Amino acid sequence: MGRNNMTYKFSEHSGRIINQNKVVLGNRQTGQWMRISKEVYDILNLGIDNNLSISELKMSLYDEEDKNYISQIYLKLCNIGIIEDENNKQVLPNKLAVFEMTHRCNLKCIHCCIDADDLVSDNQDLSTEETKCVLYKIIEWNPKRILLSGGEPMIRKDFKYLLKYLRNNYHGTIIVSTNGTLINSDNVDNLVECSDEISISVDGINEETCSIVRGHGVFDKVINSVKLLQSRGFKRITLSMTTGDKNEYLEDDFNELNRLLGTKPCIRGFAPIGRGEKNRSYFSSYEKNEIHVPNKFISDNYNNPMVMLSCGGGNREIFIAHNGDIYPCPSFLRPKYLMGNILKLDKLSNWNKEVYKLLKEIDPNNYKICKGCKVNLFCWTCLAQLDSVRDNGKAIENKCKKVKPVLFKRIWGSVN
């Protein structure tokens, strides 16, 4: 085995922030990160600059304790994909394909990001054969998970057939995202047999709170659907709720509801797009120059793990609209982010790669306002959040004042 084969380097997916005598290193694909001293970082760079293996680097150190410490740090960085060598190279599989099977929906939720309803013409959906073609190309792309969404996917007359087709030809995780109102005794066995997870949007903790967002009677239908699925032995059910500053007080009760039901809670931040732009006053009291930051995040007793900004959109994650158009993810549904149409491509992976350049423009390391900030890779959980306010300097400044002191304390151990 040649000497050069044992050299190491920082992964192309690694991100770093240097702050005085400390350095944060993170994996921009997974969000995992760790903090090390600037001295250790410089030693690791010394090995890279001189084409050394980790064994050769350790030989240049005098103290045995230092050698052991460098070995430990090196292995940790390899394990989370920040450093790679011949024996440690992280190759992550394609993660997720979201397929919007239809733009139609039997509900008209006030915050729907795609403004779906049942007034959209049926013939705007892809035909059964076209949809099978889309599914075939998604399967060929080989993501770990395929999520079927809408609109409401179960509104399609051929949904049971298409779900069965997908199950018979795909061995990864199938997730059905639904409003839960169309699940019944005629289709529940199909869902149980062909799905691995079912995600149901409920947006409330009872009839009163749910009906404001989703309409009267929806809450009871969802609860009945959950119980019907569970009666068939199906347990992997997620209930989701969208919150802003006006209704985040419901989160604890929502978590308790899920505990009682035996389901998993998923809380999503409100985004004022689609119908949500017209109805933002229900979720948010903030003006356009303000960005909501959850109270739990700002509090000193926040216990959720911090993750570095990671984005697989247009790379390991893709979104396919009801007409076959491809976008990086459901949050980038603007024309400039169109990556092609799956029906016009031989393979899904042959999409337009030029979109990558647009995504890089809004990366905090490149974006003019955020560039150089010592916490810039932590304050945005999604590139789409930054993209939505990229031309609103006041909104970014407002958020910065709220989160920067908090992030400094949690990441660097100090307030500045």
Side-chain angles (χ1 to χ4, degrees):
M1 188 175 292
R3 172 185 175 279
N4 289 335
N5 289 333
M6 296 304 293
T7 60
Y8 65 90
K9 64 179 181 178
F10 286 110
S11 163
E12 63 177 313
H13 305 297
S14 64
R16 70 206 68 189
I17 308 175
I18 301 174
N19 182 31
Q20 299 180 17
N21 63 345
K22 300 173 184 176
V23 180
V24 161
L25 297 171
N27 186 325
R28 295 295 305 277
Q29 285 195 319
T30 66
Q32 294 175 287
W33 63 281
M34 64 181 294
R35 190 179 72 197
I36 63 175
S37 70
K38 179 68 161 53
E39 181 182 9
V40 170
Y41 175 72
D42 288 340
I43 291 173
L44 290 170
N45 267 319
L46 183 67
I48 293 173
D49 293 341
N50 290 278
N51 293 317
L52 302 179
S53 68
I54 185 60
S55 297
E56 291 169 327
L57 177 64
K58 286 166 59 180
M59 289 176 61
S60 69
L61 302 176
Y62 175 76
D63 189 272
E64 197 66 31
E65 187 176 339
D66 289 344
K67 292 180 181 181
N68 291 334
Y69 183 70
I70 284 290
S71 291
Q72 293 172 12
I73 294 296
Y74 182 86
L75 288 175
K76 287 180 180 178
L77 291 172
C78 286
N79 287 337
I80 59 178
I82 295 172
I83 278 181
E84 59 183 43
D85 58 28
E86 182 184 272
N87 299 318
N88 298 280
K89 188 167 184 179
Q90 189 178 65
V91 179
L92 296 175
N94 294 328
K95 184 178 180 182
L96 173 67
V98 179
F99 179 26
E100 178 193 58
M101 300 184 74
T102 178
H103 203 75
R104 295 178 296 130
C105 186
N106 59 315
L107 302 182
K108 194 167 183 176
C109 303
I110 64 172
H111 65 327
C112 181
C113 62
I114 62 170
D115 202 11
D117 58 38
D118 61 358
L119 301 178
V120 181
S121 174
D122 188 25
N123 61 22
Q124 289 188 13
D125 289 341
L126 298 178
S127 68
T128 300
E129 290 305 311
E130 287 173 324
T131 303
K132 284 175 63 178
C133 179
V134 171
L135 291 173
Y136 175 83
K137 291 178 181 179
I138 293 175
I139 294 167
E140 188 180 44
W141 188 59
N142 195 28
K144 289 184 69 175
R145 296 178 293 160
I146 296 176
L147 187 151
L148 304 178
S149 71
E152 170 51 53
M154 295 186 68
I155 206 170
R156 287 189 62 129
K157 296 176 182 178
D158 55 4
F159 176 77
K160 288 171 62 176
Y161 170 78
L162 291 169
L163 181 60
K164 186 71 172 178
Y165 170 83
L166 178 59
R167 180 76 290 166
N168 288 341
N169 292 280
Y170 174 67
H171 303 293
T173 299
I174 297 174
I175 307 168
V176 175
S177 179
T178 173
N179 60 40
T181 62
L182 300 181
I183 298 175
N184 55 45
S185 57
D186 292 329
N187 57 36
V188 66
D189 291 330
N190 173 257
L191 283 170
V192 168
E193 292 168 7
C194 300
S195 306
D196 297 292
E197 300 177 25
I198 296 177
S199 176
I200 304 177
S201 303
V202 63
D203 291 307
I205 61 171
N206 50 32
E207 168 62 21
E208 179 184 0
T209 51
C210 175
S211 64
I212 296 172
V213 180
R214 299 195 153 257
H216 294 292
V218 171
F219 184 80
D220 285 343
K221 288 181 180 179
V222 168
I223 300 303
N224 289 336
S225 293
V226 168
K227 292 179 178 179
L228 180 59
L229 287 164
Q230 291 174 336
S231 72
R232 299 300 200 273
F234 193 89
K235 303 299 183 183
R236 299 190 69 179
I237 305 169
T238 298
L239 297 185
S240 67
M241 180 176 182
T242 299
T243 64
D245 65 283
K246 280 191 171 182
N247 67 334
E248 66 180 349
Y249 70 93
L250 296 171
E251 290 183 10
D252 288 341
D253 288 336
F254 182 68
N255 290 332
E256 176 63 12
L257 171 67
N258 278 269
R259 187 189 70 79
L260 294 173
L261 289 172
T263 53
K264 181 180 177 181
C266 175
I267 295 176
R268 300 187 174 100
F270 168 70
I273 55 178
R275 275 200 296 272
E277 186 174 6
K278 301 175 184 177
N279 298 301
R280 65 183 296 156
S281 61
Y282 171 75
F283 297 93
S284 177
S285 60
Y286 290 100
E287 302 295 330
K288 290 187 177 181
N289 288 335
E290 295 180 287
I291 298 175
H292 172 55
V293 179
N295 289 328
K296 286 185 178 180
F297 177 84
I298 297 175
S299 66
D300 282 337
N301 60 355
Y302 181 82
N303 294 318
N304 287 354
M306 301 292 300
V307 293
M308 183 175 280
L309 171 64
S310 60
C311 180
N315 183 10
R316 296 174 57 232
E317 300 179 33
I318 44 98
F319 175 86
I320 300 163
H322 68 286
N323 61 354
D325 284 347
I326 308 167
Y327 296 91
C329 77
S331 298
F332 284 105
L333 301 184
R334 289 178 288 285
K336 69 177 181 178
Y337 293 116
L338 178 64
M339 302 168 66
N341 188 287
I342 192 171
L343 296 175
K344 298 177 182 178
L345 300 176
D346 293 335
K347 290 186 175 182
L348 178 54
S349 57
N350 291 338
W351 59 58
N352 176 18
K353 304 299 191 294
E354 291 297 309
V355 172
Y356 293 158
K357 295 179 181 178
L358 297 177
L359 295 176
K360 284 185 176 181
E361 288 178 7
I362 54 174
D363 187 278
N365 275 335
N366 301 321
Y367 185 60
K368 56 184 179 181
I369 296 179
C370 301
K371 189 175 182 180
C373 174
K374 301 303 182 184
V375 295
N376 64 352
L377 296 182
F378 291 87
C379 59
W380 305 98
T381 57
C382 169
L383 281 181
Q385 291 179 324
L386 178 53
D387 186 48
S388 66
V389 294
R390 63 188 300 179
D391 298 320
N392 191 338
K394 289 185 177 180
I396 296 176
E397 182 181 359
N398 175 269
K399 178 177 180 178
C400 187
K401 288 180 179 179
K402 294 178 182 177
V403 304
K404 195 169 184 177
V406 177
L407 290 173
F408 252 93
K409 185 176 180 180
R410 292 179 185 156
I411 296 165
W412 300 111
S414 61
V415 294
N416 54 45

